[in-house]
Amino acid sequence: AQGIFPWFGEDEEIMWWTPCPRMVLRPSEIHISRSMRKHLRESDWEIRYDSAFDDVITHCASVARGAEVAGTWITSDMQVAYQALHNMGVAHSVEVFENDRLIGGLYGVLLGQMFFGESMISLISNASKTAFIALSKACSQAGIDLIDCQIANSHLASLGAIHMSRKDFENHLRDAIKVDMSDIVTNALR
């Protein structure tokens, strides 16, 4: 609710961040490339919502992120905390399945008219993009006007995420979290 998020190493104290600028996406403005549109049309992947939250967060915690990023901030304690938020109906996941096997997804926290993306996983090329596109469509249909992507990266920028100043982000956040969207979103994510 204050626009801060955890990000720290496994053996470090919990550290909280609120970057400036902030990377955000307006769901109605998602950019889907021509090749991705073709992939989505031809794919037999299945999109599910909140059906495998524990599996998504477990994969996000265990995926190798490359030599430049050691460890994960998604410790077992953080997984328990997010699973509790999921059980309360606050944290949600989008999953991508191929032949009943989880191949990608994402999870985050929903407050009012904002979805705060926490982490995403792609076990097969384009699976996390597919999950993010599905999230954007569900958010757009439910009246959620902003997805917080936290830190800038080229993957999210290619999908239409943009920078927002901390001041603008906090002003938007203050108004967006006042709206109770839980019933609308619960129905949209099914």
Side-chain angles (χ1 to χ4, degrees), residues 34-47:
R34 189 177 348 195
S35 61
M36 190 64 193
R37 285 183 194 278
K38 180 180 179 189
H39 170 75
L40 292 171
R41 276 193 313 271
E42 296 174 355
S43 171
D44 61 352
W45 292 353
E46 180 185 358
I47 307 297

Side-chain angles (χ1 to χ4, degrees), residues 46-57 60 86 91-97 102-109 115 117 119-122 127-139 147 185 188-190:
E46 180 185 358
I47 307 297
R48 300 180 193 169
Y49 301 91
D50 288 336
S51 73
F53 185 89
D54 293 352
D55 293 335
V56 169
I57 197 169
C60 287
H86 175 67
H92 300 277
S93 62
V94 178
E95 307 100 17
V96 181
F97 285 86
L102 181 68
I103 59 168
L106 60 83
Y107 76 95
V109 173
F115 186 88
S119 190
M120 55 187 357
I121 180 71
S122 192
S128 64
K129 279 186 184 179
T130 300
F132 192 72
I133 291 166
L135 170 70
S136 298
K137 288 181 179 182
C139 286
I147 297 172
V185 172
L189 296 179
R190 291 183 187 224

Side-chain angles (χ1 to χ4, degrees), residues 9-161:
E10 196 158 352
D11 295 325
E12 299 173 350
E13 290 185 39
I14 296 175
M15 298 177 69
W16 297 94
W17 298 84
T18 177
C20 185
R22 192 73 165 235
M23 183 155 257
V24 299
L25 176 88
R26 296 193 187 283
S28 62
E29 297 176 9
I30 189 162
H31 171 74
I32 306 170
S33 69
R34 189 177 348 195
S35 61
M36 190 64 193
R37 285 183 194 278
K38 180 180 179 189
H39 170 75
L40 292 171
R41 276 193 313 271
E42 296 174 355
S43 171
D44 61 352
W45 292 353
E46 180 185 358
I47 307 297
R48 300 180 193 169
Y49 301 91
D50 288 336
S51 73
F53 185 89
D54 293 352
D55 293 335
V56 169
I57 197 169
T58 298
H59 278 292
C60 287
S62 63
V63 69
R65 305 230 182 239
E68 71 279 359
V69 180
T72 180
W73 67 270
I74 311 171
T75 63
S76 58
D77 287 343
M78 291 304 285
Q79 288 181 53
V80 168
Y82 279 99
Q83 288 161 341
L85 290 172
H86 175 67
N87 292 337
M88 294 167 50
V90 176
H92 300 277
S93 62
V94 178
E95 307 100 17
V96 181
F97 285 86
E98 181 178 56
N99 299 323
D100 242 8
R101 181 176 70 98
L102 181 68
I103 59 168
L106 60 83
Y107 76 95
V109 173
L110 175 68
L111 294 175
Q113 289 179 296
M114 287 202 48
F115 186 88
F116 300 84
E118 295 295 336
S119 190
M120 55 187 357
I121 180 71
S122 192
L123 302 177
I124 293 180
S125 183
N126 288 327
S128 64
K129 279 186 184 179
T130 300
F132 192 72
I133 291 166
L135 170 70
S136 298
K137 288 181 179 182
C139 286
S140 185
Q141 291 170 354
I144 297 166
D145 60 355
L146 203 64
I147 297 172
D148 175 25
C149 302
Q150 300 177 344
I151 303 290
N153 68 54
S154 58
H155 177 67
L156 294 170
S158 73
L159 292 166

